[in-house]
Amino acid sequence: FSLYPMADDFVSVIKGALEKTDTSNVWMHTDDVSTVLRGKQIHVFNVAKAIALHAAKTGKHIALSGTFSAGCPGDTAGDVYLDKGEKIANTDATKQYVSSQFALYPMNNPAYMEIIYREVDRAKEQGVFNESMHYASGIHGDIHDVFAFYEEAFSNACSEEHKHLVMTVSMSINSPSHGGL
């Protein structure tokens, strides 16, 4: 994923968010474009949310663009982190409104549209659905509810038969266009 703070001090916002997040449960690599997290799904989503939340707490307008992937052939960096337990490291419960979009890509699954529609319906049931658009669905609400939905959608879209899954997420936090939501 990549963070894009809309601020002159964007480097300190990004580095500060990375430093304030407990990343002990994931393999992590950051360069001048993005950060890669590897490990157990519960920890990857926990760390991604924590980094976004720490960046958001600066009050700056933040954009996040990320890709979650499972079952990608040949991807073994950080496999040792798959043995970590279930206890999450980041538990900050600060409320934070986010507006986002996601797209699911259940690779090689002929029932992919059924899976996508099922997860969009679940978003509506959970009250985080915003709107549909071409190639994505809008999800909004508190960052904790949004990330919980994304993690559940990712779990629900995986199958034993079709293990390769990709989900893209674009997120806007503290945007002036949110109108004080």
Side-chain angles (χ1 to χ4, degrees):
F1 69 92
S2 296
L3 283 177
Y4 303 100
M6 311 302 171
D8 289 340
D9 61 341
F10 64 92
V11 173
S12 65
V13 173
I14 295 168
K15 286 186 174 183
L18 291 168
E19 290 167 5
K20 291 175 184 166
T21 301
D22 184 337
T23 61
S24 61
N25 286 333
V26 296
W27 176 89
M28 186 171 86
H29 174 76
T30 299
D31 64 18
D32 62 337
V33 177
S34 65
T35 296
V36 176
L37 304 173
R38 294 244 332 135
K40 235 179 189 175
Q41 179 178 312
I42 189 172
H43 300 305
V44 169
F45 278 90
N46 175 256
V47 169
K49 176 181 73 173
I51 292 169
L53 184 56
H54 283 302
K57 287 165 76 173
T58 65
K60 310 288 187 191
H61 179 193
I62 307 291
L64 177 146
S65 178
T67 302
F68 295 88
S69 177
C72 186
D75 195 2
T76 59
D79 278 357
V80 66
Y81 289 89
L82 296 174
D83 293 333
K84 292 284 186 174
E86 298 295 315
K87 185 174 168 56
I88 59 171
N90 300 283
T91 58
D92 186 338
T94 302
K95 298 280 187 196
Q96 176 64 57
Y97 176 81
V98 301
S99 182
S100 66
Q101 299 175 346
F102 87 113
L104 277 173
Y105 301 97
M107 308 301 272
N108 257 355
N109 191 330
Y112 69 95
M113 286 307 299
E114 293 170 31
I115 294 166
I116 294 166
Y117 289 140
R118 181 187 69 214
E119 294 312 307
V120 168
D121 286 343
R122 218 171 45 70
K124 291 174 183 177
E125 291 168 10
Q126 291 187 8
V128 294
F129 181 77
N130 190 16
E131 64 179 320
S132 289
M133 68 261 340
H134 289 293
Y135 313 111
S137 295
I139 304 295
H140 71 147
D142 181 65
I143 193 168
H144 304 286
D145 298 334
V146 168
F147 267 92
F149 168 75
Y150 284 145
E151 186 174 355
E152 289 171 24
F154 196 77
S155 290
N156 291 340
C158 281
S159 74
E160 278 302 311
E161 185 180 358
H162 306 286
K163 295 183 181 196
H164 193 184
L165 173 68
V166 174
M167 180 174 75
T168 60
V169 172
S170 296
M171 189 172 287
S172 175
I173 307 170
N174 295 331
S175 171
S177 65
H178 294 158
L181 295 173

